[in-house]
Amino acid sequence: MTTDIGGVSFAFNAGDGDLDLAGMLPELPGLDQIRGARIGDLFQAPDRFAGADRLGVGVSLGELDQVGTDLGHQDLGHQDLGRFGVGIDELGTDEPDTDEPDTDELGLHPGVDGREPPDRPGLATDPPIFVDPNRRLPFVWRDPIIIDRSLLGEDSPDPWTWVPTPPRNSVHRGDLDVPVAPSASPTDGDLFESPDGGTRYALPRYSLAFETTGDPRISIVERDGTAILVMAFAETPSPAAAPGVAKLPHLVTVSLKYRVPVITGGTVVLDLPFPSVRIDGTTVVAEMPLTTPGLRQQLLAALSSLEAGVSLVAGRAVTVGVPTGETMEDGRPGYRKERLLLEWTAPPSPLVISEAHRNRLGGVAGGIQPMGRTRIPFDGRSHSYWQDPARPERFYFLPDRFLLARLPGTGRPPALKVRATSAASVDDVRVTLEFYAQPVLVRERLEAARPVLQEEAKARGVDAPVRLEVLPDPQPSLRLALPRGGAPSTGLVERPEAEIDLELGVTHAETLALEDFRLVYDALFGASLSLLRGEVRVGAGGTPEDVPLELRFDRTAGDVLTLTVTAASAAHIEARLTNAIESRVRPGNPPALAVCAGRQIPLRIEGLADDLVLSPGEGLDVRLVPRTPLPETGAQGVVLDQSEVVVDPDREAIWALVFDRTAQPQLVREVSVEAVPALFAGPRGTGPQGDRVAAFVVTVERGGTVRLTEDVPTGVTTVRVPVRPLLTGAPPPPLRYRTETWWQSGGIGVSDWRETEATILLPVRTAPSPSPQGGGGR
């Protein structure tokens, strides 16, 4: 699994041994700085970091950019190419690429030994992945760790040191020292150019190579008693290739994807990266050790099955300049340097080998073994765990629930936006509600399941430590119960347009009529538990597994309290607890732990009353007393479980945060203006003796003008009013209008502005102004 923090990815297995380390990743010292980190910033973990025996001694993550890194190795600065599964190709260039990352920068060294990276509990040992820098938020843990420098011993370094790089401002194209892409989102079929335009580049593609017999170049070789799957790929030209076009420098990764059935029905897609990739001229050779029992037969069965849908994905990592869309001071376009991973599904897809080829590789007849499901109860609910048949020590699980997220940064606002559109009537008003919900995992549930799953792995002949990952379901679906016509829905309806990632969360935008939106918005404050029911359904092709979705402002994913340590000793920790959100918070007495060199010491919080309520921004000094004295070296972090903290949602404050004011939507209302006959004659003394009203001209603010006469005493106009008050049930603002009275004698009287809630306006007859120009107005 990959957790993103400010654009930098740390790979680990969510359920493995040191979940305490996994929990530490979302909250690091200098939290505001870390969350503001950019791709390319330098992160380091010093040798004395607690738990360095797990993380790796002297780990230097270096300038990660968009390259995910395997933290399971002893020293990221001294890894060979094979352990990272990356091939480097800088052939075909007419000029040196001074900015292309060298092997030291990426922690790579030439040579491929085909060995699989060593297993380390709690950390991923799979080859690296190139992550999408736009992935929104990290996986949410119930009890994130807050690390503070004052908790450390005097001689201890910071657990993480962040060395910021200069801001990535736009530069002129001529200032780049890498090839330039034609757009901000290039494809592998584009033509790239050198900054001066003198050299053109194309990115090659790679297709599976074939023997003269017609079989693909797939073999299984034995090295030191280990079977290794070897696949060869031939370089194929890009659509942009042409005479005089050089090859764009790039790195190469290869992965194999195929469908595996679930024993209860449906399928999931597994992705197996090749840990060893090397380039030999125009040929790429990818190798995968088949060390796990059953992996060889599983892969051969998949390669022999059309239903498995085997595909081979070749990724090409490039460093290029892309246009930013900004304009420099001199009017020229701006550029910035980025590293991108451009993937290509190598033909043929799906890949199927012949029966004879399978037999030569040591395969036997039979289908793909399905993934088995084990159900383990925890806290009154049964949870499913799926076992990989090819790698029996690997199990997949689902999050416990999805909760409305809170965004990082000042105020930690809810991840929800409300947008309305202009309309010609109240019935035509449409409101779009867009939300982002994060997956939440109870760590204790995984720890309780681990012994049972370990026995399941042993029953399959594997003694390796159990590894847990989020289920890679290819077709999760969102189901919501939404009101229609002002009435609650009787069932759940699938929302196929929702974007779902079981690790990252759910993003969805729902457009509602005004009366339905009001019901839904009230439900966000807990007004109804049935109006806004939802779930993420997994395994739609077979027996479904549903993960609850809860959208409520009083129960969100993400911290609502911050804990700032002010002083620490072996006997106690002094800290300030602060409400970081827009609503009042009732902390109660949240459990707390001190993390000390891999141990967790329970803390008792002194200074919190049971009925304490913290207003937004309000803080309270507390003392955290350990059950046993803290070690002399201090603690590396404090775990504060905020799962039971109660939030009293502030309607006005939340509305100010979630309503999108950029559009300023308006409602066009129809207004009638009517004059009774008596207004034209009027009582004696209103105007000059014997004078009559020739016409009334009524002007409506934010609307039109109506002219009334005795012959035409009625008229209609439209007025534009803000939609915003209507969304929350507030009455529309009053109408403001003014009347000009035109007398037959030639005088004009102008009334003051009047306000009314009515939709039928009566003109206000006004005597002529003494001024020849008229007056008496506003």
Side-chain angles (χ1 to χ4, degrees), residues 107-288:
L108 308 177
H109 286 271
V112 179
D113 58 9
R115 293 175 293 171
E116 194 166 10
D119 261 347
R120 286 187 178 275
L123 297 173
T125 55
D126 288 339
I129 62 172
F130 288 77
V131 299
D132 179 359
N134 296 317
R135 299 181 90 177
R136 292 173 293 273
L137 291 173
F139 201 83
V140 175
W141 300 94
R142 191 178 74 173
D143 47 356
I145 295 180
I146 304 170
I147 301 179
D148 193 280
R149 177 67 179 88
S150 60
L151 286 171
L152 306 174
E154 292 184 0
D155 298 330
S156 298
D158 286 337
W160 295 87
T161 301
W162 176 41
V163 183
T165 57
R168 291 195 164 190
N169 297 324
S170 296
V171 299
H172 289 104
R173 171 170 170 151
D175 294 331
L176 295 172
D177 53 7
V178 294
V180 180
S183 68
S185 301
T187 69
D188 67 351
D190 287 339
L191 189 65
F192 301 79
E193 294 182 346
S194 59
D196 61 5
T199 305
R200 297 182 300 167
Y201 301 92
L203 184 63
R205 294 174 174 175
Y206 295 92
S207 300
L208 188 63
F210 283 79
E211 305 286 0
T212 55
T213 59
D215 289 327
R217 291 184 57 185
I218 302 175
S219 60
I220 295 179
V221 300
E222 298 286 337
R223 293 181 189 163
D224 300 327
T226 299
I228 298 176
L229 175 66
V230 181
M231 291 189 176
F233 298 82
E235 180 183 307
T236 58
S238 161
V245 176
K247 190 185 332 182
L248 186 69
H250 57 280
L251 311 180
V252 179
T253 64
V254 178
S255 64
L256 184 150
K257 296 182 179 181
Y258 66 102
R259 289 184 177 273
V260 174
V262 178
I263 198 169
T264 54
T267 61
V268 295
V269 175
L270 295 186
D271 187 346
L272 299 182
F274 283 78
S276 171
V277 177
R278 69 174 184 270
I279 295 179
D280 183 8
T282 59
T283 301
V284 169
V285 178
E287 299 183 350
M288 180 189 301

Side-chain angles (χ1 to χ4, degrees), residues 741 746-750 767-777:
T741 306
I748 298 178
V750 182
S769 170
S771 169
Q773 300 299 324

Side-chain angles (χ1 to χ4, degrees), residues 119 293 392-393 454-466:
D119 261 347
E393 78 283 1
Q454 193 69 62
E455 291 300 319
E456 294 287 339
K458 288 182 179 179
R460 299 287 299 273
V462 177
D463 292 327
V466 165

